[in-house]
Amino acid sequence: MPHAKALVSKSKTSKTPRRPFEKERLDAELKLVGEYGLRCKNEVWRVQKSVSHIRGAARHLLTLDETDPQRLFEGSALMRRLHRYGILPEEQNKLDFVLALKIQDFLNRRLQTVVFKLGYAKSVHHARVMIRQRHITVGKQIVNVPSFMVRVESEKHIDLAANSPLGGGRPGRQKRKKLRAKNAPAEAEAEDE
């Protein structure tokens, strides 16, 4: 019997650019990486692929007749998903609006960006570090993935983790070390008396 890993179907999550040294594209990608605190260009390409996938699905559905059951069913499902994640506002409920989606619409809904905008972090880079160090919870679940897509209803449940030093939990290793060093001379004086 094959190993369980062999049964998992793999598909590409990102697509590298066709022209690797196009100056305008390189500058635009670098600006996105800096603005949203991404780790590398691959994160931009991953979002780009998902945007093109969604826009392609919308383009296909728009070619069908308006009364076509596939267009009605899949179109409403696509719109519902985009509304749930806050990528499209509720009042934009036509497939035409999906074609106007940009990468920034998706990057704005990442946990890293939302944590920064809610004021838990000083910068997007600080937000990424906080998430990776498990200081952030969504609901009761600690999330340590900066690219986690935040739903509209879960945005109000984002908070600092209860057991995190930032959220009132046990102090961190360095702080405990400093407290021990501060208490050590006081204890030595008490023993001398």
Side-chain angles (χ1 to χ4, degrees):
M1 188 165 152
H3 194 269
K5 277 270 194 204
L7 299 175
V8 176
S9 65
K10 301 256 193 234
S11 60
K12 289 199 167 202
T13 55
S14 66
K15 184 178 183 297
T16 55
R18 198 171 279 146
R19 293 183 175 161
F21 302 112
E22 198 174 17
K23 184 159 178 37
E24 295 82 31
R25 184 191 49 75
L26 286 171
D27 293 341
E29 285 174 355
L30 194 61
K31 188 174 180 213
L32 284 174
V33 166
E35 187 181 341
Y36 292 98
L38 307 178
R39 186 174 55 87
C40 58
K41 301 269 181 87
N42 202 46
E43 291 192 338
V44 176
W45 300 336
R46 188 173 61 213
V47 175
Q48 233 168 10
K49 185 169 173 78
S50 62
V51 171
S52 71
H53 185 77
I54 288 171
R55 290 180 71 224
R59 210 176 303 114
H60 168 69
L61 292 172
L62 281 168
T63 60
L64 303 173
D65 186 46
E66 282 194 25
T67 56
D68 191 304
Q70 183 187 4
R71 177 173 171 167
L72 294 171
F73 182 73
E74 290 181 14
S76 64
L78 179 65
M79 297 307 293
R80 193 168 48 247
R81 192 163 63 238
L82 293 174
H83 292 319
R84 192 183 311 135
Y85 282 103
I87 294 164
L88 273 180
E90 287 288 335
E91 59 271 4
Q92 294 183 355
N93 54 2
K94 287 203 170 90
L95 281 172
D96 299 324
F97 292 111
V98 178
L99 298 180
L101 284 176
K102 296 189 295 291
I103 302 172
Q104 289 88 333
D105 300 325
F106 283 78
L107 291 174
N108 282 329
R109 297 307 303 166
R110 286 167 50 105
L111 181 62
Q112 180 179 354
T113 315
V114 174
V115 165
F116 169 60
K117 286 189 176 166
L118 288 175
Y120 288 112
K122 296 173 189 153
S123 68
V124 280
H125 307 289
H126 183 221
R128 187 179 187 99
V129 170
M130 285 177 68
I131 293 165
R132 286 301 297 160
Q133 292 177 352
R134 301 168 59 87
H135 292 300
I136 301 292
T137 57
V138 179
K140 297 205 184 308
Q141 184 73 43
I142 289 177
V143 181
N144 69 339
V145 181
S147 62
F148 176 81
M149 294 296 279
V150 180
R151 292 182 176 185
V152 175
E153 66 264 13
S154 9
E155 192 168 347
K156 56 182 166 281
H157 300 298
I158 295 175
D159 202 8
L160 294 168
N163 59 355
S164 156
L166 303 175
R170 179 180 177 216
R173 183 175 61 87
Q174 287 296 319
K175 184 143 188 178
R176 290 196 310 268
K177 190 175 172 184
K178 284 178 186 170
L179 287 172
R180 273 198 303 271
K182 190 193 286 183
N183 293 340
E187 289 172 8
E189 285 177 20
E191 287 174 12
D192 289 345
E193 292 174 1

